[in-house]
Amino acid sequence: MAGNGSSKVTKIKKYRKPLNINIGMVIFAVIFIYVCICIGMYFRDNHIRPYEVREGSLSAENLYTGIVLREETLVNADSAGYVNYYAREGERVAVGNLVYTVDETGRLSDYINSEELGENTLSDSDLNQLKGDIVNFSHGFSPENFATTYDFKYEVKGTVLRLANASLMESIGDLKSGELSSIINLSYTPFTGIVMYWTDNYEALTPDMITADLFKTSSYEKTQLISNALISGGDVVYKICNNENWSIVIPVSDQKAEELEEAEFVKVRFMKNQDESWASVKILYNGDGNTYAQLSFTNSMVNFVNDRFLEIELLLNDETGLKIPNSSIVEREFFLIPQNYITRSGDTDSFGVLREAILEDGTRSTEYVEVSIYNLVEEEYYVDAGVIQSGDHLFLPDSTETYTVSKRATLIGVYNMNKGYADFRQIEILYQNDQYAIVRSNTDYGLNVYDLIVQDASSVVADQFIYK
């Protein structure tokens, strides 16, 4: 009946497909797991990195700025007036040479500019001299030391003035007897030397007076003495140096001072013109608590007459060879075997020794053991300690003499990986800094250019197989 009818609720469940594992999924899962394991092993392994040996050199940090010391004598003017120079700066003058004149009224300038002296032209030698000065300045110019431009300006100005006044110098006799004779004072040098037209209050400086404050170029003042300037009687008009011996004082560390003092002489490169010269060394311990090195020269002073500060490079280590990283260097121990106990196999051209062996029945016999040779010093071979043992008895070929293995020594070297394993090669270090070493090339049992070595020697052991 309709009244008694009831409706049933039907629950519909979602059908779950069964997991269908096929061979493709299995292979993918295996490959995925293998890749994960390889990645993990890669990051956990100590990687062996090769380094290709090349020729090179090391440039140590041996650049210094030093103070130049010379025997400089200041010359004062006898009278007031306008000064005009006739000796070129940096030129050696003899006793009695005319260096400058003092014009009390300024009429000499008008006379120089007048047409009475005629037209002045530069000779070929004068022009070449002027060109040489310009080339030298351009080669040594540094934007960081722009102030040297003004020194060069005054130097060229003085050179041009001297050359332009050639006619005036030829007419000195006329000046003495003419109308200008009463107002022009001619000044001659009292002794021979190199003329300089600048002052800086460092003229009386001696090596024992050097302090750290004197190296502060920010407080350094240099006064250029120029022609046509008005001077008073007693003013410094020029200075002269009559001694070729001069020196440069540089601040150094205690370690560098010890190295220089032990060397006694050092090769110096002047950064201004790239010239090189040898200097004797004297270490100074002045009162300010700092250490200085005085480098003394006996030549080339005239090249730097306009300089109080010079940038130099100490050429302490000029070695060239094979350049390798310090991380490649390792020390290894070997047995020392007398040279006459080592034999060579005719078939393989290898080295070996005749060692005493005890057979299973207890009898004694002789066996040939192949060994690797790593160096020969004073008739003793360095032999790998992994092949023979301490206490082994070796036989001298064609003799009854024996040698007991016991003597040991160490060698400095690297691991060569050309053959696919860590092959020790002995090296001779010529020079070394914090990162690299220069080793001698073309040595027996050593390295050659383009050899592959282990960059980090701590990552391998001797004779370890290496995947290159």
Side-chain angles (χ1 to χ4, degrees):
M1 290 182 300
N4 296 329
S6 61
S7 60
K8 295 183 178 180
V9 179
T10 303
K11 294 183 178 180
I12 301 176
K13 295 183 178 179
K14 186 177 181 180
Y15 175 74
R16 294 183 179 180
K17 294 182 180 180
L19 181 62
N20 186 15
I21 301 177
N22 54 42
I23 188 65
M25 295 180 62
V26 173
I27 294 175
F28 177 80
V30 171
I31 294 176
F32 179 77
I33 295 173
Y34 174 76
V35 171
C36 292
I37 293 175
C38 290
I39 294 175
M41 292 177 61
Y42 175 82
F43 286 105
R44 292 181 60 184
D45 284 348
N46 189 9
H47 302 290
I48 301 173
R49 291 179 295 177
Y51 177 86
E52 187 178 64
V53 177
R54 295 292 184 93
E55 289 184 345
S57 61
L58 295 182
S59 55
E61 293 295 333
N62 288 321
L63 293 176
Y64 297 88
T65 298
I67 295 178
V68 177
L69 300 181
R70 294 173 286 252
E71 292 186 11
E72 302 173 18
T73 302
L74 298 175
V75 179
N76 300 320
D78 296 328
S79 58
Y82 294 90
V83 62
N84 286 278
Y85 297 107
Y86 299 97
R88 182 191 179 196
E89 188 168 32
E91 182 180 51
R92 178 174 290 278
V93 294
V95 176
N97 280 8
L98 176 67
V99 178
Y100 71 97
T101 63
V102 176
D103 177 14
E104 296 179 2
T105 63
R107 293 177 58 190
L108 180 60
S109 298
D110 298 334
Y111 181 73
I112 292 175
N113 296 326
S114 68
E115 298 180 356
E116 298 179 30
L117 294 178
E119 182 180 354
N120 289 326
T121 58
L122 296 179
S123 64
D124 292 340
S125 60
D126 293 337
L127 188 59
N128 290 334
Q129 176 181 319
L130 192 59
K131 289 180 179 178
D133 292 342
I134 297 174
V135 170
N136 290 335
F137 170 76
S138 62
H139 285 173
F141 174 73
S142 172
E144 290 78 10
N145 297 320
F146 186 78
T148 58
T149 305
Y150 297 99
D151 297 335
F152 178 67
K153 169 187 173 183
Y154 293 124
E155 181 181 352
V156 172
K157 186 176 180 179
T159 300
V160 172
L161 181 62
R162 182 186 68 85
L163 298 176
N165 290 347
S167 299
L168 177 61
M169 296 181 67
E170 294 175 358
S171 305
I172 289 295
D174 297 335
L175 289 176
K176 290 181 179 179
S177 57
E179 58 178 339
L180 299 177
S181 61
S182 60
I183 58 174
I184 295 177
N185 299 318
L186 307 180
S187 297
Y188 304 91
T189 177
F191 45 82
T192 183
I194 305 298
V195 175
M196 292 173 281
Y197 299 128
W198 57 275
T199 61
D200 61 356
N201 295 323
Y202 280 39
E203 286 80 11
L205 201 62
T206 57
D208 59 302
M209 297 168 58
I210 297 293
T211 61
D213 291 338
L214 295 176
F215 289 88
K216 297 178 180 179
T217 56
S218 58
S219 58
Y220 174 76
E221 294 184 2
K222 180 178 180 180
T223 302
Q224 195 74 36
L225 307 174
I226 59 177
S227 289
N228 294 326
L230 181 62
I231 62 173
S232 301
D235 287 351
V236 176
V237 67
Y238 72 94
K239 60 183 178 181
I240 192 167
C241 177
N242 62 349
N243 196 332
E244 274 291 327
N245 297 328
W246 63 294
S247 63
I248 300 176
V249 178
I250 59 175
V252 294
S253 63
D254 292 338
Q255 181 180 358
K256 183 65 69 175
E258 184 178 350
E259 182 180 357
L260 291 174
E261 192 170 29
E262 183 178 354
E264 295 184 358
F265 290 88
V266 62
K267 195 174 185 180
V268 176
R269 175 182 292 130
F270 302 101
M271 305 309 294
K272 180 178 180 179
N273 55 11
Q274 298 299 309
D275 286 345
E276 297 176 0
S277 183
W278 284 92
S280 60
V281 180
K282 181 181 179 182
I283 303 302
L284 307 173
Y285 300 97
N286 294 345
D288 63 345
N290 297 314
T291 305
Y292 304 93
Q294 181 183 6
L295 310 175
S296 300
F297 304 87
T298 58
N299 53 38
S300 304
M301 186 273 294
V302 68
N303 296 330
F304 309 106
V305 293
N306 282 320
D307 300 297
R308 181 63 69 189
F309 296 94
L310 274 181
E311 187 177 6
I312 62 172
E313 180 183 6
L314 303 183
L315 303 178
L316 295 174
N317 301 284
D318 203 16
E319 300 286 358
T320 58
L322 304 180
K323 185 177 181 179
I324 62 173
N326 289 337
S327 59
S328 298
I329 300 175
V330 66
E331 185 175 349
R332 189 177 172 192
E333 190 175 56
F334 298 90
F335 283 117
L336 292 181
I337 306 298
Q339 184 178 3
N340 51 359
Y341 279 83
I342 302 293
T343 63
R344 174 171 291 188
S345 172
D347 297 334
T348 61
D349 200 27
S350 61
F351 294 93
V353 294
L354 299 176
R355 182 173 63 182
E356 182 185 59
I358 300 179
L359 304 179
E360 293 181 358
D361 59 1
T363 59
R364 298 179 181 274
S365 180
T366 302
E367 63 177 351
Y368 177 81
V369 179
E370 188 173 313
V371 296
S372 297
I373 302 299
Y374 292 91
N375 199 12
L376 174 62
V377 178
E378 297 180 355
E379 299 184 353
E380 286 184 316
Y381 278 114
Y382 284 71
V383 178
D384 190 355
V387 178
I388 58 178
Q389 305 296 325
S390 179
D392 285 350
H393 297 286
L394 307 182
F395 292 100
L396 183 67
D398 302 325
S399 174
T400 58
E401 295 183 20
T402 61
Y403 174 81
T404 302
V405 177
S406 62
K407 190 175 180 181
R408 296 172 180 263
T410 58
L411 288 176
I412 301 296
V414 298
Y415 288 120
N416 188 303
M417 51 189 298
N418 290 348
K419 299 178 181 179
Y421 66 94
D423 181 20
F424 182 88
R425 297 290 181 88
Q426 182 238 356
I427 60 173
E428 182 181 347
I429 299 177
L430 300 176
Y431 179 68
Q432 190 173 20
N433 62 15
D434 295 337
Q435 295 181 326
Y436 292 92
I438 298 297
V439 303
R440 192 179 301 279
S441 59
N442 300 323
T443 59
D444 295 333
Y445 316 103
L447 293 176
N448 295 310
V449 181
Y450 305 123
D451 279 349
L452 290 179
I453 63 175
V454 179
Q455 185 168 341
D456 184 5
S458 62
S459 64
V460 299
V461 295
D463 301 323
Q464 175 183 335
F465 184 71
I466 299 173
Y467 291 95
K468 292 193 293 182

